[in-house]
Amino acid sequence: MAAALLLLLVPPVGLLAALAFLTRPRARIALKDSHVFITGGSSGIGLAMATAAAREGARVSILARNLARLEEARAAIQRDSGRDDVGVHAADVRDADAVARALQEAGPVDVLVCNHGVFVPQELERQDMDEIKWMVDINLMGTFHLIKAALPAMKARTRETRLPGSIAIMSSQAGQVGIYGYTAYSASKFALRGLGEALQHEVVGDNINVSLIFPPDTETPGLEEEHKRRPELTNIIAGLSGGMKADDVAKKALDGIKSAKFIVPCNFEGTMLAVATAGLSPQSSALMAFIEVIGTGLMRFAALCFQWNWFSTIESYYAKNKKSQ
């Protein structure tokens, strides 16, 4: 009996040992005494992350467009964390020069969190091209502007301190799977994954880790506006997934950054999506790599079931509407 159990355990143990060797990069990011720069920091997830990072002893700088809201956010962070060194920077991430000036004013960054983002749900055929370009310019190009401006000083900082740095990019579960009504938004968020994967190759030699965060619907002012524009079918499909509070997403995001995870899911559904879409993405955890290797086939089957349900829902919706016309 003992011999049989040993034979059953040897393959998984051997696989785990191999994965422990293969998984990288590995690091621990300390927030205490570090400089954390967060965009979209005046509200929602960004404000929650800034507050939590400040509580852990980080010097925090936040960037957003509205200076009055930034000042309110600074006061809230100072009140909740007891720190009086919170920096605020008013800039539009679409303006590369303004972003570069803000980062120069803030000083070298240890942890860069690209948390900005906008979302207007609409079927592609009905959505105005200016609105599509607005989303791509903020969600994608704004991230390029931030990273490009921050990188030289971040590289110098890691050489000086010999401590790892981090670039965290806020994507979305809509950056892992496309949903009806999310065509433009998903395109802007899927692109961040390609950016992150290639960037990790470019900065791994500089001791900088990249993290991609994939939150679900989150209870923020932006979500309230989004719901006003959502097509009915989008509500039927996306409304089935549960939302999260900004504080809970912030905790998951910071935990992922500190662990130098490349893919950072925020709930159980997000973990399933992470396994299903792991592909060639980096993985620093041997245990998570083991789950991906073992679970990918099952997740693919589950994904096909979800897609079947979504297609059936869409077909039923259009069939019902045609009858009522």
Side-chain angles (χ1 to χ4, degrees):
M1 183 67 176
L5 284 172
L6 184 63
L7 286 173
L8 288 172
L9 287 171
V10 166
V13 170
L15 177 57
L16 271 170
L19 293 172
F21 171 76
L22 292 171
T23 48
R24 59 177 305 190
R26 299 191 195 96
R28 289 293 302 178
I29 310 293
L31 295 184
K32 184 175 173 59
D33 298 324
S34 67
H35 180 202
V36 180
F37 190 100
I38 303 174
T39 62
S42 63
S43 64
I45 297 169
L47 177 56
M49 290 183 72
T51 303
R55 284 181 187 147
E56 292 196 33
R59 177 170 76 88
V60 170
S61 297
I62 55 175
L63 180 145
R65 287 175 293 177
N66 189 305
L67 183 58
R69 290 180 65 184
L70 279 166
E71 292 292 355
E72 291 173 3
R74 169 155 59 185
I77 296 167
Q78 289 173 335
R79 183 178 62 251
D80 292 344
S81 69
R83 296 187 67 97
D84 59 3
D85 56 354
V86 179
V88 297
H89 305 275
D92 188 327
V93 295
R94 293 173 293 178
D95 185 338
D97 292 336
V99 167
R101 285 194 298 271
L103 281 159
Q104 188 171 23
E105 291 168 5
V109 173
D110 299 296
V111 178
L112 176 68
V113 182
C114 304
N115 172 68
H116 57 277
V118 292
F119 177 29
V120 180
Q122 186 73 63
E123 296 93 338
L124 177 62
E125 186 179 6
R126 298 179 181 179
Q127 194 156 38
D128 188 84
M129 279 304 301
D130 287 340
E131 200 166 61
I132 294 170
K133 186 175 184 299
W134 175 68
M135 277 190 278
V136 171
D137 283 347
I138 292 174
N139 298 349
L140 178 59
M141 295 310 300
T143 303
F144 273 112
H145 294 159
L146 278 152
I147 295 171
K148 190 166 176 62
L151 262 182
M154 286 189 75
K155 289 182 176 182
R157 179 80 164 167
T158 58
R159 287 195 297 270
E160 176 190 340
T161 64
R162 298 185 180 277
L163 296 173
S166 174
I167 297 172
I169 301 170
M170 190 66 67
S171 185
S172 163
Q173 287 183 358
Q176 294 171 294
V177 58
I179 297 291
Y180 184 100
Y182 285 33
T183 305
Y185 179 69
S186 282
S188 72
K189 291 295 187 177
F190 265 85
L192 295 176
R193 177 151 185 169
L195 187 166
E197 289 190 5
L199 180 67
Q200 181 62 91
H201 283 193
E202 294 179 11
V203 300
V204 68
D206 299 289
N207 202 16
I208 296 173
N209 300 273
V210 177
S211 293
L212 277 168
I213 304 158
F214 294 94
D217 282 350
T218 306
E219 296 172 12
T220 64
L223 183 64
E224 294 173 13
E225 291 300 313
E226 173 204 326
H227 280 164
K228 296 175 184 177
R229 283 283 303 269
R230 268 187 177 181
E232 187 178 359
L233 252 176
T234 305
N235 276 326
I236 293 170
I237 296 171
L240 298 176
S241 61
M244 289 184 70
K245 294 188 180 299
D247 286 344
D248 295 332
V249 172
K251 184 180 186 310
K252 292 285 188 181
L254 287 175
D255 286 347
I257 290 168
K258 289 186 288 185
S259 301
K261 291 181 179 178
F262 182 78
I263 300 294
V264 183
C266 295
N267 59 6
F268 179 70
E269 293 167 338
T271 301
M272 290 196 298
L273 276 171
V275 173
T277 62
L280 287 171
S281 62
Q283 179 55 263
S284 58
S285 165
L287 177 59
M288 195 63 207
F290 180 81
I291 293 170
E292 289 169 353
V293 170
I294 299 301
T296 298
L298 180 61
M299 287 300 100
R300 178 56 180 156
F301 178 78
L304 291 172
C305 293
F306 274 109
Q307 288 288 357
W308 181 89
N309 182 57
W310 292 335
F311 284 134
S312 298
T313 300
I314 293 165
E315 289 165 351
S316 297
Y317 177 85
Y318 276 104
K320 181 181 176 181
N321 281 0
K322 284 179 182 178
K323 288 180 181 177
S324 62
Q325 289 176 355

